[in-house]
Amino acid sequence: MMLPLTKKDCDDKPYKSHSRLVEKIGGWVRLIISDRDSRNLFFFLILNLSFAFVELFYGIWTNSLGLISDSFHMFFDCTGLVAGLIASIIAKWRPTDTFTYGFVRAEVLAGFLNGLFLLFIAFFILSEAVERLLEPPEVKHERLFLVSVLGLLVNLVGIYVFQHGGAHGHSHGGGGHGHSHGGGGHSHKHDDHNPSFLSHGHSHDGGHGHSHNGASHMHSHGGDAGGTGANKQIMRGVFLHILADTLGSVGVIISAGLMWAFEWYIADPICSICIALLISLSVLDLIKESGCILMQRTPSSIDSQLPQCYQRLMQLEGVVSVQEPHFWTLCSDVYVGSVKLEVSRNGDPRYITQNAQLIFQGIGVKKMTIQLDFLLT
Amino acid sequence: MLGTSPIGSSDNASNDMAPKYPRGRLNNKSKIPWLYGLLICCKSFSALSSFFLFDFLRRNGEHSPATGVIFGNWSLLIQTLSVVQILSGIISIVVQKPFSNWNNTKLSKKEWIRIFRHAVISIILMLVWMSGLQLCGPFRTVIIAAHYNFVLAGILSGFFISKTGAKLRGGVLFATGILIMLLFDNGDTSRENIPRGQPTKSPDSDVEQSFLSASSVGILILVLCLFYKMGFEAFAKNLAVDLGGSKRLHALSTLTSGVILLMMYFVDLMSGADMIPFWSNVFTLTFITIFGFVLDYYMDSICLKRLEPAKVARVGTTSSMFAGIIYAMLWTTEETPSTSTLLAFLLIYLGVLSLTSMEKASGGGSFVGYSSDGLPLFSFSNHFSPETYVPMWKNVLKSTSSILKQIQDDAISRRLFYFSLLTMVFTGIEFLYGTLTNSLGLISDGFHMLFDSMALCIGLSASVICRWKPSKTYPFGYGRIEVLSGFLNSFFLLVIASMIMIEALQRLHDPPGVDAKRLLPISLIGLFVNLIGIYTFRSNSVISHGHSNGHNVNVKGVFLHILADLMGSIGVITSSLLIHNYGLLVADPICSMIIATLIVVSVLPLLKETSKMLLLAVPSGLEKNLQQTVLQILTTEGVKGYRNPRFWTHAPSVFTGSIHVQATEDANEQQVIRQVNNLFSSIGFTHFTTQLEKDEFIARKSFSTDYETQPSSESDIGAMQGNRLLLENNSLEGFGSETKFSSSSAVTQPGSDQEVKITLA
């Protein structure tokens, strides 16, 4: 973990001046800007919000209800970004009494939340589309066209920014549609460019880098977990969110074009249904993955390697049996484990503990607790 | 026809005709052709009887205009069905004599209640089925309803389990056929068959009408009914076993439903409905009863028991489908089926053939007997490649019934199940009526209900899954899914609340005219359903409120969801009353805003609780205890210090933790570990791991700075505050130390394998 330990954080309590709030906000901003991902998030959020405000004020000025409702929609969309941003800040908090592992889980939770949010939106779009299918409303395409082109531009900026920001997760935007291979290649390139300082994380890269489902694919890039990788779930969620918005804008543009050219009023709901389906398909992967992490599933990337580890443990001198192995993912690519070893009376605890730690580090479990139970006989 | 098909036929030797025939299909081969012949006859008559029924319904639907106040358009169906059910109930009582052997199996009150439930559900099913028949005509009904349960299960398994082979092909063909009927088959017959009371449509609604015609709605009903029946029968299996045989259950349930229907009939008559001229139709009704309901059922049960189900399904479905098409050609009042119907017929038939053909190919196993669900069991031991022909539909049935059993095992999930069923039924009804009457308000409310029932389903599945045993992939058990579901539900509520808020703000800006009259009945129904829900889950949520720990976050989430809906209904009722009476258009957005705020306020504690759990917080009630316990470790004999104390809540009652303890050189390792573990298990930790490290180990690893050592002489000085600070500092360093550790060991890591070997040697 690279925790930026700023001085201000350490002695927060002694300061009780009136400028505390300013200082706090300043601290937050510094915290946001210190990390590339959250910086991107922040700026994109500001862009989005300003767009929404411009829309809102223009809507109020021209008294156009459509614009106002679209601006509300934009605000609503921003909540996903806000959630991502907040989570990326919270994830940097240090462990406390109540949260002994720190808040790194916030990242997974934010990814999960964004996924759920998108699913909800997809459902909402679907229901609206079905209603429109039954009763196609009059759509004023001229106005819609302009707004959605602007929205598309904003979202394209977002996609561009986040594609460059945290490249690894993004292959998964397409992952739901079966493009994970292309994504894999991209991520590997990224790997090469990044001087990875935790070399041991790569030991299993080759074996799993090309598996086909999204879940194991993403775990295979365990190497660059240090800096940006920690925010992977958040960034994935946010990216999917932006992708969904972009899809929405494209859909509106297409259907507006169709309505304008051919008077196909049914194009709008059909486009909406397609978009809703696309969104839910692309988001399912994220939800499943983060749900598994939240459920404390044994990390799927080390799933297959665990039996070998037990074998090797048993080969250690003095180890009789391996009991209650528990492995789980703390946040992306940080695995935690605990295991109980039954040890014969004459086993050397130091030797066993040390080697067991090494064995599990070999597969990337960095936080390991090994309990030795000595047999009485 | 739609009757409950036999289930659990192996365990009713005592009271049906099984003793007359020796068991198994192998010992009297001469009878098999006879049975097939009988089956064909039966099926064709049964198909004929649905034509009769349709004709009867249509004739009476046209002639008798007066309907009851209570049941409205349903009164015709109820009257007809009550006569049919009473008749068939009497016949099956005579045949079956379920009361004959009272001596050993006296029915308890509970069993009567279950029979009653069974009867009510089957009444609903039959009514829905009959309305489907009314909507889409007899031919389509025969095509759809002629299928056996396990064939349908085969379709499902084809889609979800086996991705290849005849099942999938059959399933795709079947589904395509149904889709063709749904989308392209809006023949003229459907128009005039729409039941009375069909609201007049405005002329501009013709576009939508072509999208979903009445016949396709009917088909949708029938298909849903078919699959619902499948689940229902799997569910009724337990009851059948308890009562001693599915036929006995059938007889009792038919009789009960007949009685219930008769009561409904009288209520209907009293509320002003006209009586259907039964006496002039005695022949028709008797025919329908005997061939459509009674004989069909018994024939199926006998054939399924004595012959191969796949073959029975093939022959039975074929005969009823072809009988249907022949009647449809010959029937005078019915138009000849359109080409799209014929195409759908062909597709469905091919689908059924390929669905049942695999069974035939696999029928080589030696016949052993029947499973509890009336399906034959084959022993595959002396045959080649047994895996290839384990019938998939059996697996589906088996897993379905095991899931249902799991649901039945727990009170909470049972309640959730029934309530979600109720919600889904209401959702279906709303969609149905919405599409029928073309009311957008109903449909959008239907989507809302659909969302609610999805939330309920999530809660239900969570409550089932959380009781699963820990597995290899989920070493701590599945208890966390409850937390996840509670989180999900509360999050959804929050989103809904914010959406309501946004909508309300927009309406405040520009209050639209609200059709108060239209909204009122919907929201009254919603209120009613939600009141039932509140009543059902009240006790559970009270428990969880009393328990500050939040015993069951899952149920709490569901409860809050229902509560929010209830508030929504109340708000809509209030605002529509205000609008209606005083013309206060602004009441609607204000009500919405109040409701949104209420939802947010009520949901925030749950959201906080669950997200804390998901963020791996220390168990909420245990913070104080934990500090003391950690301090107690230091006073334990032989302990010098500790490192990395980590605790978290896995599930509401599963607490987990791990700690690294530094021991003195001469300490007894086993004793220290046991003492530490005991300390933690005494305050409720279920999984706890202690790693013991001695001085030399630490010296080598250069850990010593990370340890929080505390000499025993100072331990009494350490006040609460100071200790807490210690703990904090300690955990602060946790991450740093780990990183250090890993980076320092990274050098040796690649060779760790060899190292181990060397030391071993």
Side-chain angles (χ1 to χ4, degrees), chain A residues 108-130:
Chain A
V108 184
L109 204 62
F112 187 67
L113 227 110
N114 254 327
L116 285 185
F117 194 66
L118 278 181
L119 211 60
F120 182 86
I121 287 178
F123 181 84
F124 191 71
I125 292 176
L126 195 72
S127 70
E128 192 113 320
V130 171

Side-chain angles (χ1 to χ4, degrees), chain A residues 108-168:
Chain A
V108 184
L109 204 62
F112 187 67
L113 227 110
N114 254 327
L116 285 185
F117 194 66
L118 278 181
L119 211 60
F120 182 86
I121 287 178
F123 181 84
F124 191 71
I125 292 176
L126 195 72
S127 70
E128 192 113 320
V130 171
E131 278 163 33
R132 286 196 180 178
L133 204 59
L134 293 178
E135 200 168 276
E138 280 295 310
V139 186
K140 296 184 197 71
H141 35 258
E142 306 90 9
R143 180 189 63 75
L144 260 180
F145 198 75
L146 187 68
V147 170
S148 50
V149 166
L150 282 178
L152 181 67
L153 282 181
V154 170
N155 285 321
L156 277 181
V157 169
I159 285 185
Y160 178 76
V161 166
F162 290 107
Q163 193 94 60
H164 279 246
H168 7 278

Side-chain angles (χ1 to χ4, degrees), chain B residues 54 57 76-77 129-137 193-195:
Chain B
F54 174 70
L57 287 177
L76 171 67
L77 295 185
W129 178 79
M130 273 165 81
S131 66
L133 171 72
Q134 244 183 348
L135 284 175
C136 69
N193 300 340
I194 295 167

Side-chain angles (χ1 to χ4, degrees), chain B residues 491-510:
Chain B
F491 173 69
F492 274 149
L493 275 181
L494 212 62
V495 174
I496 288 175
S498 58
M499 251 162 147
I500 292 176
M501 202 61 149
I502 288 176
E503 192 121 319
L505 281 176
Q506 278 176 19
R507 287 196 180 179
L508 205 62
H509 186 80
D510 175 28

Side-chain angles (χ1 to χ4, degrees), chain B residues 72-107:
Chain B
N73 293 330
W74 292 92
S75 75
L76 171 67
L77 295 185
I78 286 173
Q79 291 187 12
T80 318
L81 195 60
S82 70
V83 174
V84 168
Q85 282 292 82
I86 280 281
L87 266 178
S88 63
I90 290 170
I91 294 174
S92 55
I93 287 291
V94 170
V95 176
Q96 204 68 52
K97 301 185 191 65
F99 302 104
S100 58
N101 49 353
W102 273 116
N103 44 4
N104 53 352
T105 54
K106 197 160 179 123
L107 290 175

Side-chain angles (χ1 to χ4, degrees), chain A residues 246-308:
Chain A
T246 316
L247 275 179
S249 310
V250 170
V252 170
I253 290 172
I254 288 176
S255 61
L258 283 179
M259 281 189 279
W260 177 70
F262 306 104
E263 304 270 311
W264 280 353
Y265 283 100
I266 212 161
D268 179 36
I270 287 178
C271 265
S272 305
I273 289 177
C274 289
I275 287 165
L277 288 181
L278 273 181
I279 291 175
S280 41
L281 272 182
S282 60
V283 98
L284 275 183
D285 209 32
L286 175 68
I287 288 183
K288 203 177 124 199
E289 200 174 290
S290 45
C292 278
I293 293 179
L294 289 176
M295 283 272 291
Q296 315 282 70
R297 186 196 196 279
T298 304
S300 48
S301 65
I302 64 167
D303 228 1
S304 57
Q305 288 158 314
L306 283 174
Q308 289 171 17

Side-chain angles (χ1 to χ4, degrees), chain A residues 231-251:
Chain A
N231 281 332
K232 195 155 59 186
Q233 302 269 352
I234 303 180
M235 299 317 281
R236 242 179 94 189
V238 168
F239 182 76
L240 281 180
H241 209 127
I242 298 168
L243 198 71
D245 276 2
T246 316
L247 275 179
S249 310
V250 170

